[in-house]
Every structure is written in C-alpha cells, then in structure tokens.
Amino acid sequence: PQGKNMNRGGSQGFDKHITIFSPQGRLFQVEYAFNASKNFGATCIALKGNDCICAIINKKVTETPEESDLNASFLNLGEYSGAVCTGFPGDQQIQIQDILFEVIDFHKTFYYNIPIEELAKRISNRNQTFTQQAFMRPLGVKTIILGIDEEMGPQLFKCDPSGFYSSHLACAIGEKETEISNYLRKKIKLNSEKPNSSFVTVSNTISILQHVLKTDMKATDITVVLSAKGKYKFQCLKEEEVDRCLAFLGSKIV
C-alpha cells in the first residue's frame, strides 16, 4: 500500500516541504515557482546583436494599467547594463532588491561596476538559498540580466528560481517562454550570424515575438529596451523608434 501510493506520480504530500524529494526525484515547490513565474509574468524576449543587445516585454492584457505594470519590471544597472524580471509581483520586488544590493555592494568594495556574469552568478546563488531551508520557498520569478561588457561585448544571462543561470544568444521568460524557446532552438544556432545593427536587432526580436504570438504588434503593446556601445545607453526606446521597426517589418515579404 505504501509503495502503491509512492508510485502514483502525484505530489502525495511531498510538496509540503522544500527540502524533501519525491520518489521520482522532484522538488515540487521549485516546480511551482517555475509555474508562478510564467502564470504571473508578461512575456519577455532578449536577443544579442554584434555590438548591441535588445529585450522586449510584451505588455500583458489586464483589467487595469496598474496591474499591467506589475507583470514585468526592468532595471537600469549602469550605462550599458540592466535586468528584466517577470513573475509573481511580490517576488519581483525581492529579486529587484537583491539585484540592487549586489550591484551597490560590489561597487563599494571594488570601485567599478559589477560584471554582468558575476551579477548573474550572485543572484543565482541567492535564489538557490531559498531551496535549502524548510521555512523558505523559491521566488516565483525569472530574471534576464543583459548588457554590454567592456571586454566580452554583449552579454545575456537567464536566472531561474532553482538557482541555475545560463548564457544565451537569445532567450525568453514569462508566459510564452516555452513556445519562444522552442522556436529559438530551431532558428538560432551557436554559429548563427548576429544582427549587425541595433535597428536590425530590434526588428528581428519583434519579428520573433510576432511569429510566436501570431499577432501584429503595435508600439503601445510592447516595451523595447536596448543597449548599444557608444550609441544607446540602457534605455527604453520611444514609440516613434519602435514604429520605424514595425514599419520595416511590415514592408518585408514574409
């Protein structure tokens, strides 16, 4: 009887504590955090260019504008670096505080800006501590940390609730993360040629989002964040600039 219950594949009470594995080797609380980051989060996609990096947040349709603003947050962390968080609104605030603490603490200690990969590593270490104690739970939020490194060029990292972080040419978080990731695996390879301008990078990123969501975007539907060395500091593009990219995509034969 006990063996039968353990082989049913359900949580069977193993989701009560973060530190207990199920017989199938799963940590249900971590899986719940992954689901929360999708269910509460707006879709965000990021793409590297040759000398730039772009992230686009698809504004989630909600009853009020205030609720829409809670679905995703972006932070300016320096002249050419920043972060985007999607997921449970309360957990986003905790993640944002952690990011700001690490950025400030590193600068106070070493007197220069924290490297992008080092920030991703530190945030992932913090996320991992939430999986170690029975009185904690993982944050229901995923984070993209991106920017232009002085030595390495464009950098793009994704941090998830389990404490794992990874480097990407392109990645997505939020509601449509799975669909976009599947599309990117088919279209983008490690040796793929990167877009050679900021305009093409933004246009390609919008195109991927439109293709997966199967809808034509308007400038008011998305928030476009761009960083390009010597051209754009980490900032949101104006609607007129986004409209130019949309007009370019509209003129192309698909």
Side-chain angles (χ1 to χ4, degrees):
Q2 186 178 1
K4 273 187 179 179
N5 290 337
M6 293 178 73
N7 290 326
R8 286 177 185 170
S11 62
Q12 297 294 317
F14 292 101
D15 58 350
K16 301 297 183 184
H17 299 284
I18 186 66
T19 54
I20 298 177
F21 283 95
S22 76
Q24 292 77 32
R26 298 166 65 183
L27 285 173
F28 287 99
Q29 288 288 338
V30 174
E31 293 183 20
Y32 297 159
F34 273 82
N35 291 335
S37 71
K38 293 181 181 180
N39 295 339
F40 289 94
T43 300
C44 174
I45 178 173
L47 177 68
K48 281 184 187 179
N50 258 342
D51 61 352
C52 63
I53 194 160
C54 169
I56 296 180
I57 301 169
N58 179 41
K59 297 174 184 176
K60 199 171 183 180
V61 178
T62 55
E63 293 182 1
T64 65
E66 289 79 7
E67 290 178 357
S68 179
D69 291 340
L70 293 174
N71 289 322
S73 305
F74 77 89
L75 292 170
N76 189 330
L77 302 176
E79 284 193 335
Y80 297 103
S81 63
V84 180
C85 304
T86 69
F88 193 70
D91 291 357
Q92 281 187 52
Q93 298 306 310
I94 296 174
Q95 186 90 111
I96 289 169
Q97 290 174 11
D98 288 344
I99 292 172
L100 292 176
F101 174 84
E102 293 295 349
V103 169
I104 294 169
D105 182 67
F106 188 93
H107 194 276
K108 285 173 63 178
T109 304
F110 300 105
Y111 300 101
Y112 66 94
N113 292 334
I114 185 170
I116 296 166
E117 183 173 5
E118 178 65 20
L119 177 59
K121 179 181 177 181
R122 291 188 177 205
I123 293 304
S124 295
N125 287 342
R126 280 178 170 267
N127 288 346
Q128 207 277 329
T129 61
F130 286 103
T131 69
Q132 296 176 0
Q133 303 292 336
F135 56 84
M136 294 181 175
R137 67 164 177 81
L139 298 178
V141 60
K142 286 190 179 182
T143 300
I144 289 176
I145 299 174
L146 68 163
I148 310 295
D149 186 89
E150 291 184 2
E151 297 180 0
M152 305 296 292
Q155 297 279 283
L156 175 60
F157 293 91
K158 179 166 71 172
C159 308
D160 67 39
S162 69
F164 178 76
Y165 77 96
S166 49
S167 175
H168 299 266
L169 293 174
C171 67
I173 56 176
E175 187 177 19
K176 297 294 183 181
E177 176 185 357
T178 303
E179 292 86 342
I180 294 176
S181 297
N182 290 338
Y183 179 79
L184 291 174
R185 287 190 191 98
K186 296 175 184 176
K187 296 296 181 181
I188 297 181
K189 307 298 180 184
L190 282 175
N191 58 353
S192 295
E193 186 177 345
K194 297 177 186 175
N196 56 13
S197 73
S198 303
F199 180 81
V200 174
T201 302
V202 173
S203 299
N204 286 355
T205 311
I206 295 174
S207 177
I208 294 169
L209 191 60
Q210 287 187 145
H211 179 85
V212 174
L213 298 182
K214 295 180 172 59
T215 183
D216 292 330
M217 295 290 175
K218 299 177 183 177
T220 53
D221 296 333
I222 55 179
T223 299
V224 180
V225 182
L226 179 66
S227 179
K229 191 70 173 176
K231 299 175 184 178
Y232 288 94
K233 295 182 179 180
F234 189 82
Q235 61 181 283
C236 287
L237 295 188
K238 298 176 181 177
E239 285 189 10
E240 308 87 73
E241 296 174 296
V242 178
D243 277 329
R244 283 199 292 270
C245 295
L246 291 170
F248 170 72
L249 289 174
S251 66
K252 292 175 67 176
I253 299 175
V254 180

